[in-house]
Short mmCIF file of all heavy atoms in Angstrom, two decimals:
data_model
loop_
_atom_site.label_atom_id
_atom_site.label_comp_id
_atom_site.label_asym_id
_atom_site.label_seq_id
_atom_site.Cartn_x
_atom_site.Cartn_y
_atom_site.Cartn_z
N MET A 175 9.98 -65.01 -81.73
CA MET A 175 11.24 -65.17 -82.30
C MET A 175 12.12 -66.15 -81.47
O MET A 175 12.46 -65.86 -80.36
CB MET A 175 11.88 -63.87 -82.33
CG MET A 175 11.26 -62.87 -83.18
SD MET A 175 12.16 -62.41 -84.76
CE MET A 175 13.53 -61.60 -84.21
N GLY A 176 12.45 -67.32 -82.07
CA GLY A 176 13.21 -68.41 -81.38
C GLY A 176 14.69 -67.92 -81.45
O GLY A 176 15.48 -68.69 -80.97
N LYS A 177 14.98 -66.80 -82.00
CA LYS A 177 16.36 -66.46 -82.22
C LYS A 177 17.11 -66.17 -81.06
O LYS A 177 18.29 -66.31 -80.96
CB LYS A 177 16.38 -65.27 -83.26
CG LYS A 177 16.96 -65.77 -84.66
CD LYS A 177 17.17 -64.41 -85.39
CE LYS A 177 18.07 -64.82 -86.63
NZ LYS A 177 18.40 -63.68 -87.48
N CYS A 178 16.33 -65.59 -80.09
CA CYS A 178 17.13 -64.89 -78.90
C CYS A 178 17.94 -65.94 -78.22
O CYS A 178 19.07 -65.66 -77.76
CB CYS A 178 16.01 -64.41 -77.95
SG CYS A 178 15.25 -62.88 -78.59
N ARG A 179 17.41 -67.26 -78.05
CA ARG A 179 18.23 -68.18 -77.41
C ARG A 179 19.61 -68.48 -78.15
O ARG A 179 20.57 -68.59 -77.49
CB ARG A 179 17.38 -69.50 -77.39
CG ARG A 179 18.07 -70.67 -76.69
CD ARG A 179 17.24 -71.87 -76.81
NE ARG A 179 15.98 -71.74 -75.95
CZ ARG A 179 15.82 -72.26 -74.76
NH1 ARG A 179 16.75 -72.99 -74.29
NH2 ARG A 179 14.71 -72.12 -74.12
N ASN A 180 19.45 -68.42 -79.37
CA ASN A 180 20.76 -68.66 -80.21
C ASN A 180 21.74 -67.44 -80.11
O ASN A 180 22.81 -67.52 -79.83
CB ASN A 180 20.35 -68.81 -81.78
CG ASN A 180 21.50 -69.17 -82.61
OD1 ASN A 180 22.36 -70.00 -82.24
ND2 ASN A 180 21.60 -68.53 -83.75
N ILE A 181 21.09 -66.19 -80.21
CA ILE A 181 21.94 -65.03 -80.01
C ILE A 181 22.60 -64.94 -78.68
O ILE A 181 23.70 -64.59 -78.65
CB ILE A 181 21.02 -63.80 -80.39
CG1 ILE A 181 20.56 -63.80 -81.78
CG2 ILE A 181 21.89 -62.50 -80.13
CD1 ILE A 181 21.61 -63.76 -82.84
N THR A 182 21.86 -65.20 -77.70
CA THR A 182 22.50 -65.03 -76.32
C THR A 182 23.61 -66.10 -76.20
O THR A 182 24.52 -65.88 -75.50
CB THR A 182 21.54 -65.21 -75.21
OG1 THR A 182 20.72 -66.34 -75.47
CG2 THR A 182 20.48 -64.01 -75.16
N ARG A 183 23.34 -67.25 -76.73
CA ARG A 183 24.38 -68.32 -76.66
C ARG A 183 25.67 -67.85 -77.35
O ARG A 183 26.75 -68.08 -76.96
CB ARG A 183 23.82 -69.61 -77.27
CG ARG A 183 24.67 -70.86 -76.72
CD ARG A 183 23.95 -72.03 -77.27
NE ARG A 183 24.32 -72.17 -78.70
CZ ARG A 183 25.38 -72.81 -79.18
NH1 ARG A 183 26.36 -73.32 -78.33
NH2 ARG A 183 25.60 -72.83 -80.53
N LEU A 184 25.45 -67.24 -78.53
CA LEU A 184 26.56 -66.67 -79.27
C LEU A 184 27.42 -65.63 -78.59
O LEU A 184 28.53 -65.57 -78.52
CB LEU A 184 26.23 -66.13 -80.65
CG LEU A 184 25.70 -67.18 -81.67
CD1 LEU A 184 25.26 -66.42 -83.03
CD2 LEU A 184 26.85 -68.20 -81.92
N LEU A 185 26.55 -64.73 -77.86
CA LEU A 185 27.19 -63.69 -77.08
C LEU A 185 27.93 -64.32 -76.00
O LEU A 185 29.10 -63.76 -75.63
CB LEU A 185 26.19 -62.76 -76.54
CG LEU A 185 25.44 -61.89 -77.57
CD1 LEU A 185 24.27 -61.25 -76.81
CD2 LEU A 185 26.33 -60.91 -78.18
N SER A 186 27.59 -65.43 -75.37
CA SER A 186 28.28 -65.96 -74.30
C SER A 186 29.53 -66.81 -74.92
O SER A 186 30.59 -66.65 -74.33
CB SER A 186 27.38 -66.93 -73.62
OG SER A 186 28.09 -67.90 -72.86
N ASP A 187 29.31 -67.45 -76.01
CA ASP A 187 30.36 -68.09 -76.67
C ASP A 187 31.54 -67.23 -77.04
O ASP A 187 32.70 -67.56 -77.01
CB ASP A 187 29.96 -68.80 -77.98
CG ASP A 187 29.21 -70.03 -77.63
OD1 ASP A 187 29.04 -70.45 -76.51
OD2 ASP A 187 28.71 -70.77 -78.65
N ALA A 188 31.24 -65.95 -77.33
CA ALA A 188 32.21 -64.90 -77.89
C ALA A 188 33.28 -64.66 -76.83
O ALA A 188 34.30 -64.17 -77.10
CB ALA A 188 31.48 -63.69 -78.26
N LEU A 189 32.82 -64.92 -75.59
CA LEU A 189 33.85 -64.77 -74.48
C LEU A 189 34.91 -65.88 -74.42
O LEU A 189 35.94 -65.67 -73.93
CB LEU A 189 33.10 -64.79 -73.03
CG LEU A 189 31.93 -63.70 -72.92
CD1 LEU A 189 31.41 -63.83 -71.60
CD2 LEU A 189 32.51 -62.30 -73.15
N ASP A 190 34.52 -66.91 -75.03
CA ASP A 190 35.45 -68.08 -74.92
C ASP A 190 36.05 -68.52 -76.24
O ASP A 190 37.06 -69.15 -76.22
CB ASP A 190 34.60 -69.43 -74.48
CG ASP A 190 33.99 -69.11 -73.19
OD1 ASP A 190 34.68 -68.49 -72.31
OD2 ASP A 190 32.88 -69.50 -72.87
N ARG A 191 35.54 -68.03 -77.37
CA ARG A 191 36.13 -68.46 -78.60
C ARG A 191 35.79 -67.39 -79.67
O ARG A 191 34.80 -66.57 -79.48
CB ARG A 191 35.47 -69.70 -79.08
CG ARG A 191 33.98 -69.71 -79.45
CD ARG A 191 33.46 -70.98 -80.06
NE ARG A 191 32.06 -70.95 -80.16
CZ ARG A 191 31.50 -70.48 -81.40
NH1 ARG A 191 32.23 -70.03 -82.32
NH2 ARG A 191 30.23 -70.48 -81.56
N PRO A 192 36.59 -67.31 -80.77
CA PRO A 192 36.19 -66.31 -81.67
C PRO A 192 35.06 -66.72 -82.57
O PRO A 192 34.89 -68.00 -82.87
CB PRO A 192 37.49 -66.35 -82.63
CG PRO A 192 38.32 -67.46 -82.19
CD PRO A 192 37.85 -68.05 -80.90
N LEU A 193 34.11 -65.95 -82.82
CA LEU A 193 33.00 -66.20 -83.61
C LEU A 193 33.28 -66.03 -85.09
O LEU A 193 34.18 -65.31 -85.39
CB LEU A 193 31.93 -65.21 -83.18
CG LEU A 193 31.47 -65.16 -81.81
CD1 LEU A 193 30.20 -64.27 -81.71
CD2 LEU A 193 30.99 -66.52 -81.31
N THR A 194 32.52 -66.87 -85.90
CA THR A 194 32.70 -66.58 -87.26
C THR A 194 32.10 -65.44 -87.76
O THR A 194 31.21 -64.86 -86.99
CB THR A 194 31.96 -67.93 -88.01
OG1 THR A 194 30.59 -67.77 -87.83
CG2 THR A 194 32.46 -69.26 -87.38
N THR A 195 32.37 -64.98 -89.06
CA THR A 195 31.75 -63.91 -89.52
C THR A 195 30.20 -63.98 -89.58
O THR A 195 29.48 -63.04 -89.26
CB THR A 195 32.35 -63.61 -91.01
OG1 THR A 195 33.63 -63.51 -90.98
CG2 THR A 195 31.71 -62.37 -91.60
N GLY A 196 29.77 -65.19 -89.97
CA GLY A 196 28.38 -65.41 -90.06
C GLY A 196 27.64 -65.24 -88.66
O GLY A 196 26.55 -64.71 -88.61
N GLU A 197 28.39 -65.67 -87.61
CA GLU A 197 27.90 -65.54 -86.24
C GLU A 197 27.78 -64.05 -85.81
O GLU A 197 26.76 -63.60 -85.31
CB GLU A 197 28.68 -66.32 -85.31
CG GLU A 197 28.36 -67.83 -85.55
CD GLU A 197 29.38 -68.67 -84.69
OE1 GLU A 197 30.46 -68.17 -84.42
OE2 GLU A 197 29.05 -69.80 -84.40
N TRP A 198 28.78 -63.31 -86.18
CA TRP A 198 28.76 -61.91 -85.88
C TRP A 198 27.63 -61.15 -86.64
O TRP A 198 26.99 -60.20 -86.08
CB TRP A 198 30.12 -61.20 -86.21
CG TRP A 198 31.13 -61.40 -85.14
CD1 TRP A 198 32.32 -61.94 -85.22
CD2 TRP A 198 31.05 -61.03 -83.68
NE1 TRP A 198 33.07 -61.93 -84.16
CE2 TRP A 198 32.27 -61.32 -83.14
CE3 TRP A 198 30.01 -60.31 -83.00
CZ2 TRP A 198 32.51 -61.17 -81.75
CZ3 TRP A 198 30.26 -60.15 -81.59
CH2 TRP A 198 31.54 -60.55 -81.03
N VAL A 199 27.44 -61.47 -87.94
CA VAL A 199 26.48 -60.85 -88.74
C VAL A 199 25.11 -61.13 -88.10
O VAL A 199 24.28 -60.25 -87.96
CB VAL A 199 26.52 -61.45 -90.12
CG1 VAL A 199 25.11 -61.02 -90.87
CG2 VAL A 199 27.74 -60.89 -90.85
N ALA A 200 24.79 -62.39 -87.61
CA ALA A 200 23.54 -62.76 -87.01
C ALA A 200 23.31 -61.87 -85.82
O ALA A 200 22.20 -61.38 -85.55
CB ALA A 200 23.48 -64.20 -86.67
N ILE A 201 24.40 -61.60 -85.06
CA ILE A 201 24.25 -60.81 -83.80
C ILE A 201 24.04 -59.43 -84.20
O ILE A 201 23.01 -58.77 -83.57
CB ILE A 201 25.59 -61.02 -82.94
CG1 ILE A 201 25.71 -62.36 -82.34
CG2 ILE A 201 25.67 -59.87 -81.88
CD1 ILE A 201 27.03 -62.66 -81.60
N ARG A 202 24.74 -58.92 -85.06
CA ARG A 202 24.70 -57.45 -85.55
C ARG A 202 23.32 -57.17 -86.11
O ARG A 202 22.84 -56.10 -85.94
CB ARG A 202 25.85 -57.05 -86.33
CG ARG A 202 26.96 -56.87 -85.59
CD ARG A 202 28.24 -56.61 -86.49
NE ARG A 202 29.41 -56.46 -85.69
CZ ARG A 202 29.97 -55.14 -85.37
NH1 ARG A 202 29.42 -54.13 -85.97
NH2 ARG A 202 31.04 -55.01 -84.62
N LEU A 203 22.76 -58.11 -86.73
CA LEU A 203 21.42 -57.84 -87.38
C LEU A 203 20.31 -57.95 -86.21
O LEU A 203 19.32 -57.27 -86.39
CB LEU A 203 21.02 -58.91 -88.48
CG LEU A 203 21.80 -58.87 -89.67
CD1 LEU A 203 21.61 -59.94 -90.63
CD2 LEU A 203 21.52 -57.43 -90.42
N HIS A 204 20.61 -58.90 -85.20
CA HIS A 204 19.63 -59.01 -84.27
C HIS A 204 19.50 -57.99 -83.17
O HIS A 204 18.32 -57.56 -82.67
CB HIS A 204 19.71 -60.38 -83.66
CG HIS A 204 18.71 -60.71 -82.62
ND1 HIS A 204 17.41 -61.18 -82.97
CD2 HIS A 204 18.72 -60.81 -81.35
CE1 HIS A 204 16.76 -61.39 -81.84
NE2 HIS A 204 17.55 -61.16 -80.78
N LEU A 205 20.73 -57.51 -82.65
CA LEU A 205 20.73 -56.68 -81.56
C LEU A 205 20.01 -55.43 -81.65
O LEU A 205 19.30 -55.02 -80.69
CB LEU A 205 22.12 -56.35 -81.16
CG LEU A 205 23.00 -57.44 -80.43
CD1 LEU A 205 24.41 -56.84 -80.07
CD2 LEU A 205 22.27 -57.90 -79.21
N PRO A 206 20.04 -54.76 -82.85
CA PRO A 206 19.25 -53.49 -82.88
C PRO A 206 17.74 -53.67 -82.88
O PRO A 206 17.10 -52.65 -82.57
CB PRO A 206 19.58 -52.98 -84.41
CG PRO A 206 20.86 -53.71 -84.70
CD PRO A 206 20.80 -54.96 -84.08
N THR A 207 17.32 -54.94 -82.97
CA THR A 207 15.86 -55.15 -82.93
C THR A 207 15.44 -55.64 -81.61
O THR A 207 14.23 -55.92 -81.45
CB THR A 207 15.48 -56.10 -84.05
OG1 THR A 207 15.94 -57.43 -83.70
CG2 THR A 207 16.01 -55.78 -85.34
N CYS A 208 16.29 -55.92 -80.76
CA CYS A 208 15.94 -56.74 -79.57
C CYS A 208 16.52 -56.15 -78.27
O CYS A 208 17.79 -56.31 -78.06
CB CYS A 208 16.30 -58.18 -79.68
SG CYS A 208 15.90 -59.39 -78.38
N SER A 209 15.86 -55.52 -77.48
CA SER A 209 16.45 -54.84 -76.29
C SER A 209 16.79 -55.94 -75.22
O SER A 209 17.70 -55.83 -74.44
CB SER A 209 15.34 -53.93 -75.63
OG SER A 209 14.25 -54.68 -75.28
N GLY A 210 16.12 -57.13 -75.20
CA GLY A 210 16.52 -58.17 -74.45
C GLY A 210 17.93 -58.66 -74.63
O GLY A 210 18.63 -58.88 -73.67
N CYS A 211 18.22 -58.83 -75.85
CA CYS A 211 19.66 -59.35 -76.16
C CYS A 211 20.58 -58.26 -75.90
O CYS A 211 21.79 -58.46 -75.55
CB CYS A 211 19.62 -59.84 -77.59
SG CYS A 211 18.78 -61.50 -77.72
N ARG A 212 20.21 -57.01 -76.14
CA ARG A 212 21.14 -55.91 -75.90
C ARG A 212 21.47 -55.90 -74.37
O ARG A 212 22.61 -55.72 -74.04
CB ARG A 212 20.60 -54.64 -76.32
CG ARG A 212 20.65 -54.46 -77.78
CD ARG A 212 20.54 -52.88 -78.20
NE ARG A 212 19.34 -52.31 -77.71
CZ ARG A 212 18.27 -52.19 -78.31
NH1 ARG A 212 18.18 -52.84 -79.49
NH2 ARG A 212 17.12 -51.65 -77.81
N ASN A 213 20.46 -56.04 -73.55
CA ASN A 213 20.77 -56.13 -72.03
C ASN A 213 21.57 -57.28 -71.73
O ASN A 213 22.31 -57.11 -70.87
CB ASN A 213 19.32 -56.13 -71.40
CG ASN A 213 18.67 -54.82 -71.30
OD1 ASN A 213 19.22 -53.74 -71.48
ND2 ASN A 213 17.35 -54.85 -71.30
N TYR A 214 21.28 -58.37 -72.40
CA TYR A 214 22.11 -59.54 -72.07
C TYR A 214 23.55 -59.40 -72.43
O TYR A 214 24.44 -59.61 -71.53
CB TYR A 214 21.57 -60.87 -72.93
CG TYR A 214 22.52 -62.03 -72.61
CD1 TYR A 214 22.14 -62.85 -71.54
CD2 TYR A 214 23.45 -62.42 -73.49
CE1 TYR A 214 22.87 -63.82 -71.22
CE2 TYR A 214 24.28 -63.50 -73.16
CZ TYR A 214 23.90 -64.32 -72.07
OH TYR A 214 24.58 -65.36 -71.81
N ARG A 215 23.82 -58.74 -73.55
CA ARG A 215 25.32 -58.46 -73.89
C ARG A 215 25.88 -57.47 -72.85
O ARG A 215 27.02 -57.65 -72.42
CB ARG A 215 25.35 -57.71 -75.26
CG ARG A 215 26.74 -57.57 -75.60
CD ARG A 215 26.88 -57.07 -77.04
NE ARG A 215 26.40 -55.59 -77.19
CZ ARG A 215 26.66 -54.87 -78.29
NH1 ARG A 215 27.40 -55.25 -79.14
NH2 ARG A 215 26.22 -53.64 -78.17
N LYS A 216 25.05 -56.46 -72.49
CA LYS A 216 25.57 -55.54 -71.44
C LYS A 216 25.98 -56.31 -70.06
O LYS A 216 26.99 -56.05 -69.59
CB LYS A 216 24.51 -54.44 -71.13
CG LYS A 216 24.98 -53.25 -70.47
CD LYS A 216 23.95 -52.23 -70.22
CE LYS A 216 23.34 -51.76 -71.48
NZ LYS A 216 22.19 -50.82 -71.21
N GLN A 217 25.05 -57.20 -69.71
CA GLN A 217 25.37 -57.88 -68.48
C GLN A 217 26.52 -58.67 -68.60
O GLN A 217 27.40 -58.68 -67.55
CB GLN A 217 24.11 -58.67 -68.12
CG GLN A 217 23.01 -57.93 -67.55
CD GLN A 217 21.73 -58.80 -67.17
OE1 GLN A 217 21.86 -59.99 -67.27
NE2 GLN A 217 20.61 -58.06 -66.93
N ILE A 218 26.80 -59.50 -69.61
CA ILE A 218 27.87 -60.38 -69.67
C ILE A 218 29.17 -59.58 -69.88
O ILE A 218 30.24 -60.01 -69.34
CB ILE A 218 27.70 -61.53 -70.68
CG1 ILE A 218 27.78 -60.90 -72.11
CG2 ILE A 218 26.55 -62.33 -70.57
CD1 ILE A 218 27.70 -61.97 -73.19
N ARG A 219 29.03 -58.42 -70.45
CA ARG A 219 30.24 -57.59 -70.43
C ARG A 219 30.67 -57.12 -68.96
O ARG A 219 31.83 -57.09 -68.62
CB ARG A 219 29.99 -56.31 -71.40
CG ARG A 219 30.08 -56.67 -72.83
CD ARG A 219 30.19 -55.48 -73.62
NE ARG A 219 30.53 -55.69 -74.88
CZ ARG A 219 30.69 -54.82 -75.94
NH1 ARG A 219 30.43 -53.53 -75.59
NH2 ARG A 219 30.99 -55.02 -77.16
N LEU A 220 29.65 -56.73 -68.32
CA LEU A 220 29.95 -56.18 -66.95
C LEU A 220 30.53 -57.34 -66.09
O LEU A 220 31.49 -57.12 -65.30
CB LEU A 220 28.62 -55.69 -66.28
CG LEU A 220 28.13 -54.33 -66.86
CD1 LEU A 220 26.73 -53.98 -66.30
CD2 LEU A 220 29.14 -53.19 -66.49
N LEU A 221 30.01 -58.59 -66.31
CA LEU A 221 30.50 -59.65 -65.58
C LEU A 221 31.87 -59.93 -65.85
O LEU A 221 32.71 -60.23 -65.02
CB LEU A 221 29.57 -60.89 -65.77
CG LEU A 221 28.23 -60.91 -65.14
CD1 LEU A 221 27.45 -62.19 -65.58
CD2 LEU A 221 28.34 -60.87 -63.55
N ARG A 222 32.10 -59.82 -67.16
CA ARG A 222 33.59 -60.23 -67.62
C ARG A 222 34.50 -59.16 -67.03
O ARG A 222 35.57 -59.48 -66.47
CB ARG A 222 33.64 -60.21 -69.07
CG ARG A 222 35.05 -60.60 -69.52
CD ARG A 222 35.13 -60.87 -71.07
NE ARG A 222 34.75 -59.65 -71.77
CZ ARG A 222 35.00 -59.51 -73.12
NH1 ARG A 222 35.58 -60.45 -73.77
NH2 ARG A 222 34.72 -58.45 -73.70
N GLU A 223 34.14 -57.86 -67.09
CA GLU A 223 35.04 -56.87 -66.63
C GLU A 223 35.18 -56.90 -65.12
O GLU A 223 36.33 -56.79 -64.54
CB GLU A 223 34.45 -55.45 -66.89
CG GLU A 223 34.58 -55.14 -68.37
CD GLU A 223 33.76 -53.80 -68.65
OE1 GLU A 223 33.41 -53.05 -67.82
OE2 GLU A 223 33.57 -53.66 -69.98
N ALA A 224 34.18 -57.35 -64.48
CA ALA A 224 34.24 -57.62 -62.98
C ALA A 224 35.26 -58.75 -62.54
O ALA A 224 35.99 -58.73 -61.70
CB ALA A 224 32.89 -57.77 -62.30
N ALA A 225 35.16 -59.74 -63.51
CA ALA A 225 35.96 -60.90 -63.28
C ALA A 225 37.48 -60.49 -63.54
O ALA A 225 38.37 -60.91 -62.70
CB ALA A 225 35.57 -62.03 -64.14
N HIS A 226 37.75 -59.77 -64.53
CA HIS A 226 39.02 -59.34 -64.71
C HIS A 226 39.60 -58.39 -63.63
O HIS A 226 40.74 -58.59 -63.34
CB HIS A 226 39.10 -58.56 -66.14
CG HIS A 226 39.10 -59.41 -67.30
ND1 HIS A 226 39.01 -59.06 -68.68
CD2 HIS A 226 39.14 -60.81 -67.40
CE1 HIS A 226 39.12 -60.16 -69.39
NE2 HIS A 226 39.13 -61.22 -68.62
N THR A 227 38.70 -57.54 -63.22
CA THR A 227 39.14 -56.61 -62.11
C THR A 227 39.47 -57.39 -61.00
O THR A 227 40.57 -57.15 -60.31
CB THR A 227 38.10 -55.63 -61.89
OG1 THR A 227 37.71 -54.90 -63.03
CG2 THR A 227 38.45 -54.65 -60.82
N MET A 228 38.65 -58.38 -60.54
CA MET A 228 38.85 -59.10 -59.39
C MET A 228 40.06 -59.98 -59.54
O MET A 228 40.78 -60.16 -58.41
CB MET A 228 37.75 -60.00 -59.05
CG MET A 228 36.54 -59.09 -58.60
SD MET A 228 35.19 -60.27 -57.86
CE MET A 228 34.76 -61.17 -59.25
N SER A 229 40.39 -60.49 -60.53
CA SER A 229 41.63 -61.41 -60.60
C SER A 229 42.84 -60.59 -61.01
O SER A 229 43.94 -61.12 -60.96
CB SER A 229 41.34 -62.34 -61.85
OG SER A 229 41.23 -61.67 -63.15
N GLY A 230 42.70 -59.22 -61.28
CA GLY A 230 43.76 -58.48 -61.37
C GLY A 230 44.54 -58.65 -62.67
O GLY A 230 45.65 -58.18 -62.91
N ILE A 231 43.86 -59.35 -63.59
CA ILE A 231 44.49 -59.61 -64.98
C ILE A 231 44.09 -58.40 -65.89
O ILE A 231 42.91 -58.07 -66.09
CB ILE A 231 43.99 -60.93 -65.42
CG1 ILE A 231 44.38 -62.03 -64.62
CG2 ILE A 231 44.46 -61.05 -66.91
CD1 ILE A 231 43.81 -63.39 -65.03
N SER A 232 45.09 -57.76 -66.47
CA SER A 232 44.78 -56.85 -67.49
C SER A 232 45.14 -57.42 -68.81
O SER A 232 46.11 -58.07 -68.99
CB SER A 232 45.54 -55.55 -67.15
OG SER A 232 46.90 -55.79 -67.50
N THR A 233 44.26 -57.14 -69.77
CA THR A 233 44.38 -57.70 -71.00
C THR A 233 44.40 -56.61 -72.08
O THR A 233 43.54 -56.44 -72.80
CB THR A 233 43.21 -58.78 -71.41
OG1 THR A 233 42.09 -58.07 -71.31
CG2 THR A 233 43.36 -59.95 -70.48
N PRO A 234 45.60 -55.96 -72.15
CA PRO A 234 45.80 -54.71 -73.14
C PRO A 234 45.46 -55.33 -74.61
O PRO A 234 46.11 -56.44 -74.87
CB PRO A 234 47.11 -54.21 -72.99
CG PRO A 234 47.85 -55.33 -72.30
CD PRO A 234 46.81 -56.13 -71.48
N GLY A 235 44.77 -54.59 -75.48
CA GLY A 235 44.61 -55.03 -76.79
C GLY A 235 43.58 -56.11 -77.03
O GLY A 235 43.42 -56.60 -78.13
N ALA A 236 42.91 -56.54 -76.00
CA ALA A 236 41.92 -57.45 -76.14
C ALA A 236 40.67 -56.95 -76.95
O ALA A 236 40.23 -55.89 -76.66
CB ALA A 236 41.39 -58.00 -74.75
N ALA A 237 40.31 -57.71 -77.93
CA ALA A 237 39.27 -57.30 -78.79
C ALA A 237 37.91 -57.29 -78.10
O ALA A 237 37.72 -58.29 -77.24
CB ALA A 237 39.21 -58.16 -80.03
N ASN A 238 37.14 -56.29 -78.16
CA ASN A 238 35.81 -56.30 -77.47
C ASN A 238 34.75 -56.46 -78.37
O ASN A 238 33.63 -56.38 -78.04
CB ASN A 238 35.64 -54.98 -76.64
CG ASN A 238 35.73 -53.78 -77.51
OD1 ASN A 238 35.50 -53.83 -78.73
ND2 ASN A 238 35.88 -52.59 -76.87
N GLY A 239 35.04 -56.60 -79.70
CA GLY A 239 33.95 -56.92 -80.66
C GLY A 239 33.21 -55.72 -81.11
O GLY A 239 32.34 -55.81 -81.92
N ASP A 240 33.64 -54.48 -80.77
CA ASP A 240 32.96 -53.27 -81.19
C ASP A 240 33.93 -52.58 -82.21
O ASP A 240 35.09 -52.72 -82.18
CB ASP A 240 32.66 -52.31 -80.06
CG ASP A 240 31.30 -52.63 -79.51
OD1 ASP A 240 30.60 -53.42 -80.24
OD2 ASP A 240 31.12 -52.23 -78.39
N ASP A 241 33.31 -51.73 -82.95
CA ASP A 241 34.18 -50.94 -83.89
C ASP A 241 34.57 -49.62 -83.20
O ASP A 241 33.71 -49.06 -82.57
CB ASP A 241 33.36 -50.65 -85.17
CG ASP A 241 33.16 -51.96 -85.97
OD1 ASP A 241 34.06 -52.81 -85.90
OD2 ASP A 241 32.12 -52.04 -86.65
ZN1 ZN B 152 16.88 -61.13 -78.91
#
C-alpha cells in the first residue's frame, strides 16, 4: 500500500493547515486499517502537545480533529 506515505503527510499537514473534507475522509478510511499510521498520528500529537507545553502557549478551543 503506497497510501501510507500520503496519509502520514496529510497528518503532518493537518498541524499547519486545514485539511479538505476529502483529505479527512482518506485519513479516516485508512487509519482503522493501519496501525503504522495510527502510531504516527499518536506521535505527532504528542510532539505537538510537548511543543505547546514547552512554549507555554495554551490554545483553548483549538480543534483536534476528533469527534
Ligand atoms: Zn498507513
Side-chain angles (χ1 to χ4, degrees):
M175 295 253 292
K177 248 191 166 183
C178 290
R179 182 182 292 258
N180 187 40
I181 295 296
T182 54
R183 202 178 70 88
L184 289 177
L185 289 171
S186 169
D187 282 358
L189 303 180
D190 300 321
R191 66 174 177 87
L193 298 185
T194 69
T195 301
E197 287 169 338
W198 279 122
V199 168
I201 289 171
R202 282 171 179 261
L203 287 177
H204 182 78
L205 282 184
T207 71
C208 182
S209 62
C211 289
R212 285 201 303 272
N213 283 334
Y214 180 83
R215 183 176 70 162
K216 195 181 298 181
Q217 282 180 10
I218 63 175
R219 280 190 170 184
L220 287 174
L221 285 176
R222 183 173 61 162
E223 284 171 17
H226 281 175
T227 300
M228 286 192 299
S229 62
I231 297 172
S232 71
T233 55
N238 63 14
D240 272 340
D241 294 329

